[in-house]
Amino acid sequence: MIPVITIDGPTASGKGTIAHQVAQALGWSVLDSGALYRLTALAVQEGGVDPADESAVAGVASQLDARFDGGGIWMAGRDVAVQIRQEPVGNLASRVAAYGPVRQALLARQRAFRQAPGLVADGRDMGTVVFPDAPLKIFLVASAQARASRRCKQLKEKGFSANLASLLQDMQARDARDCSRSHAPLYAAPGAKTIDSSNLTIDATVQAVLDYWSRV
Ligand code: DC
């Protein structure tokens, strides 16, 4: 059985960074599942699809022409890695991620990332739905304030404008939607180890995950 470490948690809790570094330390591959929802949102936006039309959005998700390589995220031959990080895309991603048929359409694609020697998968339902048999499940949290300031810094570094108060507000709305939806809501999988990274450095958080893995 190919091992998987799942890292779930709210938006901007640092899942992506931690997942990449843990994967690098172990020589495993990584699945950024949020990127699939963001790609769906971008394709919906660009295709002029009505975001309220659940089956049309699910159609977009099932036909997504997406490819991940190195740092690049490609959609229909274009690198859209930077574009999908923008807040309007993230907010739309959170909306379309609430649709059951969209989640279903992306399920097999996510499971296909499970390849030897192992996978680190980050998202909201990696431990609860996509890889329920993962031998190590991490629930990575951080205070809303810590997450909003991290996201603000990240956006500014990428050259986007950002406002802390509105980011905090968007983040709380997105958390509420991700946690309260009926399909695969965000919660800690049974047996998950919770790590609060509010006051931890990236290195310390990566080490905490690796320590848990060494004890599995
Ligand atoms: O992790 P992220 O911010 O890139 O995710 C974008 C949105 O996608 C998030 O608001 C909720 C959704 N998502 C999800 O529902 N399930 C996942 N496994 C990953 C992301």
Side-chain angles (χ1 to χ4, degrees), residues 60-168:
V60 170
S62 66
Q63 278 158 34
L64 215 51
D65 175 8
R67 193 166 54 83
F68 294 78
D69 72 13
I73 299 178
W74 301 78
M75 188 169 79
R78 268 190 308 144
D79 187 354
V80 293
V82 171
Q83 211 177 342
I84 60 166
R85 293 293 147 211
Q86 298 189 34
E87 289 306 291
V89 179
N91 288 326
L92 183 58
S94 161
R95 254 182 89 186
V96 303
Y99 298 153
V102 170
R103 307 198 70 83
Q104 195 57 39
L106 296 175
L107 197 54
R109 202 189 280 259
Q110 294 174 81
R111 289 186 175 149
F113 279 79
R114 188 174 196 163
Q115 285 176 16
L119 174 69
V120 183
D122 92 70
R124 305 293 186 288
D125 63 341
M126 298 297 97
T128 52
V129 176
V130 182
F131 303 107
D133 63 337
L136 176 61
K137 300 177 183 182
I138 302 291
F139 198 63
L140 188 62
V141 298
S143 68
Q145 189 65 42
R147 289 182 288 128
S149 19
R150 279 182 201 159
R151 180 56 57 90
C152 195
K153 190 163 162 263
Q154 205 177 49
L155 287 168
K156 285 185 175 160
E157 278 167 5
K158 287 186 176 150
F160 297 121
S161 66
N163 171 280
L164 186 61
S166 76
L167 276 172
L168 186 59

Side-chain angles (χ1 to χ4, degrees), residues 10-73:
T11 192
S13 60
K15 301 181 303 290
T17 306
I18 303 306
H20 274 92
Q21 296 206 7
V22 169
Q24 201 167 19
L26 295 171
W28 293 6
S29 48
V30 67
L31 164 63
D32 170 5
S33 63
L36 291 171
Y37 292 93
R38 289 173 180 268
L39 286 166
T40 304
L42 183 65
V44 161
Q45 207 177 51
E46 292 187 341
V49 173
D50 177 5
D53 184 341
E54 193 168 315
S55 61
V57 176
V60 170
S62 66
Q63 278 158 34
L64 215 51
D65 175 8
R67 193 166 54 83
F68 294 78
D69 72 13
I73 299 178

